[in-house]
C-alpha cells in the first residue's frame, strides 16, 4: 500500500485482555501501524477516496441483518507467519463477510487469495518473532469473551497508519 492510494478495511474490533495486548504490541506488524485488535470482515475494501454515503448506507443495511452477539476466544491457531485467536461462534463473522463481498463484488476478502475465509483475530504476524513461543504464551491467557455490537471501517491515513473512520452498529436496534 502506498500513500497515493490509501485503502480501507471492514473489521470487528476486539478488546484483548492486557497480557494478550502486550504480546501483540511487542511483535505484530499491524499493531505497529496503528491497527487495533480485530476480526477482519473484508480487506482490502474501497480506496479511501471512494468512501461516500452509498458505501456507508450499504454497510449499515448489512450490519442491521446481524444482531449483536457474544464471542469467545479459547483457542490459538497458526497460519504461516502468524498466530491467531479463533472466534466462537464464527458464523456471524462469515455472514457479514459474505454479505459485504456480495454487495461489493469488486472487493473480495484478501483479494480472493483464499478459497475459504477463516474468521480469526491475528495476534501476531511476524517474519522474525518466535511464533511457537507466542502461541504457547497466548494460550495461557485464554479464554476470554466479549460482546460484539459494532463493525468498523478502518482507513489507512496519509501517514500509512490506520484510523477508525466509521462505526456501524449491528442489528435492528430493537
Amino acid at each position: 500500500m502506498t500513500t497515493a492510494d490509501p485503502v480501507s478495511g471492514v473489521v470487528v474490533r476486539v478488546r484483548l485482555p492486557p497480557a494478550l495486548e502486550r504480546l501483540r504490541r511487542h511483535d505484530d506488524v499491524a499493531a505497529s501501524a496503528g491497527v487495533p485488535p480485530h476480526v477482519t470482515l473484508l480487506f482490502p475494501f474501497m480506496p479511501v477516496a471512494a468512501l461516500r454515503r452509498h458505501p456507508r448506507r450499504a454497510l449499515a443495511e448489512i450490519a442491521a441483518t446481524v444482531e449483536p452477539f457474544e464471542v469467545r476466544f479459547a483457542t490459538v491457531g497458526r497460519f504461516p507467519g502468524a498466530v491467531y485467536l479463533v472466534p466462537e461462534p464464527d458464523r456471524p463473522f462469515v455472514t457479514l463477510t459474505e454479505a459485504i463481498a456480495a454487495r461489493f463484488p469488486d472487493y473480495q476478502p484478501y483479494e480472493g487469495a483464499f478459497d475459504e475465509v477463516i474468521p480469526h483475530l491475528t495476534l501476531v504476524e511476524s517474519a522474525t518473532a518466535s511464533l511457537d513461543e507466542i502461541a504457547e504464551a497466548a494460550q495461557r491467557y485464554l479464554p476470554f469473551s466479549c460482546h460484539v455490537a459494532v463493525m468498523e471501517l478502518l482507513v489507512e491515513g496519509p501517514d500509512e497508519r490506520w484510523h477508525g473512520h466509521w462505526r456501524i452498529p449491528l442489528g435492528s436496534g430493537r
Side-chain angles (χ1 to χ4, degrees):
M1 288 170 265
T2 66
T3 55
D5 59 351
V7 296
S8 63
V10 185
V11 305
V12 170
R13 193 182 294 231
V14 174
R15 181 181 300 263
L16 292 175
L20 289 172
E21 183 62 34
R22 282 191 298 276
L23 282 173
R24 182 176 180 274
R25 288 192 181 275
H26 188 266
D27 289 305
D28 185 55
V29 174
S32 66
V35 177
H38 66 277
V39 175
T40 300
L41 298 176
L42 194 118
F43 179 83
F45 192 52
M46 296 182 151
V48 173
L51 297 172
R52 301 285 185 260
R53 278 195 182 145
H54 167 70
R56 183 180 179 125
R57 188 176 318 116
L59 289 173
E61 289 169 4
I62 292 165
T65 68
V66 174
E67 292 300 320
F69 60 97
E70 294 297 317
V71 65
R72 183 173 190 258
F73 295 89
T75 307
V76 174
R78 291 287 303 274
F79 292 134
V83 173
Y84 67 90
L85 306 179
V86 179
E88 300 165 6
D90 68 353
R91 190 69 209 156
F93 299 106
V94 171
T95 298
L96 287 165
T97 296
E98 289 173 349
I100 297 167
R103 188 74 165 268
F104 297 94
D106 290 342
Y107 304 101
Q108 294 302 301
Y110 306 104
E111 296 178 320
F114 306 103
D115 291 335
E116 178 185 8
V117 174
I118 299 170
H120 63 281
L121 186 158
T122 299
L123 188 62
V124 172
E125 183 175 4
S126 172
T128 59
S130 174
L131 298 178
D132 288 338
E133 289 177 18
I134 291 167
E136 186 177 309
Q139 191 64 55
R140 290 194 296 265
Y141 302 110
L142 298 179
F144 73 94
S145 298
C146 65
H147 184 72
V148 174
V150 173
M151 67 182 195
E152 205 169 328
L153 185 87
L154 301 178
V155 298
E156 182 186 29
D159 58 357
E160 296 186 11
R161 294 193 52 79
W162 288 81
H163 310 276
H165 188 68
W166 295 333
R167 289 176 46 85
I168 301 169
L170 297 181
S172 60
R174 285 183 257 172

